[in-house]
Amino acid sequence: FRRMTRQYLQTQRRAGDVVKRPFQITCMNLLRCAPGRSELKLSEGFQEGIRSARHKVGKDTDLRIVNFDWHAIVKALGADSAIAGLWTSLKSVLQDIGFSAGEVKTRVASSQHSKGGENKSEPFLYIPTHKQQGVVRYNCADSLDRTNVATFYGAIPVLLEQFRRLDLSMIKKRYAFHPQELPEGWESRKDPVTG
């Protein structure tokens, strides 16, 4: 946690920004939290670790934990409701953290924005316009499946907000399969694994 905060603060200071608030690290605990469940001890240990770390990271880090018992919620409400519940749990966190954004320009078109010491051999220049104020870390000590699913669904609201800010359409398109679009001889190139 200290390393993440240190990197954030160094980046902010290099950019000349005044650090106005602590770097937010939100840990999503996906372990089973109900009494009598096998993961309860792991969950309690993780929560105790976060409480202990809060005292060690200092004032530059806002360390939070959100408990989200993925299996219990899916079992009780179904997958769709679990995903909606995850989004509800993350909404204020993601609004607080935001995401980094900026403009990418070609070196020729952006030469007036160049600062001293930049590597002019790079063909593109990134000009930041927004800086992310934290991270979300998913924890499920014994299951990468839960971690991957929560990370995937947790990223969707961020992706949709990025699309909205870029004024990109999210129109769902369906494409029919047209064998005539495949290259000649494709049938002889397929294999039993990939089809």
Side-chain angles (χ1 to χ4, degrees):
F1 298 130
R2 286 182 184 162
R3 180 178 47 86
M4 266 193 264
T5 301
R6 200 169 38 249
Q7 287 173 341
Y8 165 75
L9 293 172
Q10 288 171 353
T11 301
Q12 296 296 81
R13 289 181 184 129
R14 269 196 307 270
D17 294 345
V18 176
V19 179
K20 297 176 182 138
R21 61 183 186 156
F23 184 68
Q24 182 177 326
I25 301 173
T26 301
C27 298
M28 292 290 295
N29 178 17
L30 303 171
L31 293 164
R32 290 181 165 258
C33 302
R37 296 314 233 167
S38 61
E39 295 176 351
L40 180 60
K41 288 284 184 198
L42 284 171
S43 182
E44 289 172 345
F46 182 66
Q47 292 175 58
E48 180 57 37
I50 295 296
R51 283 191 292 274
S52 174
R54 277 190 190 123
H55 299 293
K56 296 177 183 174
V57 294
K59 63 179 176 35
D60 292 327
T61 305
D62 178 9
L63 188 55
R64 302 176 184 188
I65 187 167
V66 175
N67 292 311
F68 193 83
D69 187 336
W70 181 265
H71 280 318
I73 295 169
V74 168
K75 186 176 181 180
L77 304 174
D80 290 347
S81 293
I83 293 164
L86 179 70
W87 288 340
T88 299
S89 297
L90 285 172
K91 184 176 182 176
S92 66
V93 171
L94 295 176
Q95 288 172 339
D96 287 348
I97 290 173
F99 56 87
S100 294
E103 297 178 41
V104 177
K105 297 184 176 189
T106 60
R107 244 332 139 179
V108 175
S110 60
S111 59
Q112 70 271 18
H113 296 289
S114 298
K115 296 178 183 175
E118 288 181 0
N119 182 356
K120 305 256 188 225
S121 65
E122 292 293 324
F124 301 102
L125 175 68
Y126 174 72
I127 302 167
T129 56
H130 296 63
K131 292 198 169 106
Q132 187 169 320
Q133 303 293 312
V135 295
V136 177
R137 183 197 184 282
Y138 297 88
N139 176 62
C140 192
D142 72 331
S143 175
L144 262 178
D145 291 342
R146 274 182 270 176
T147 303
N148 290 342
V149 166
T151 302
F152 172 79
Y153 285 112
I156 289 175
V158 177
L159 181 62
L160 292 173
E161 178 61 17
Q162 289 171 336
F163 278 21
R164 188 190 67 76
R165 288 190 191 177
L166 292 169
D167 199 26
L168 295 175
S169 175
M170 291 297 302
I171 296 171
K172 187 176 182 178
K173 295 180 181 178
R174 298 217 179 248
Y175 296 98
F177 175 69
H178 298 290
Q180 65 271 19
E181 294 175 2
L182 296 172
E184 187 67 37
W186 68 272
E187 303 90 350
S188 62
R189 288 185 247 164
K190 68 180 189 172
D191 62 62
V193 175
T194 59

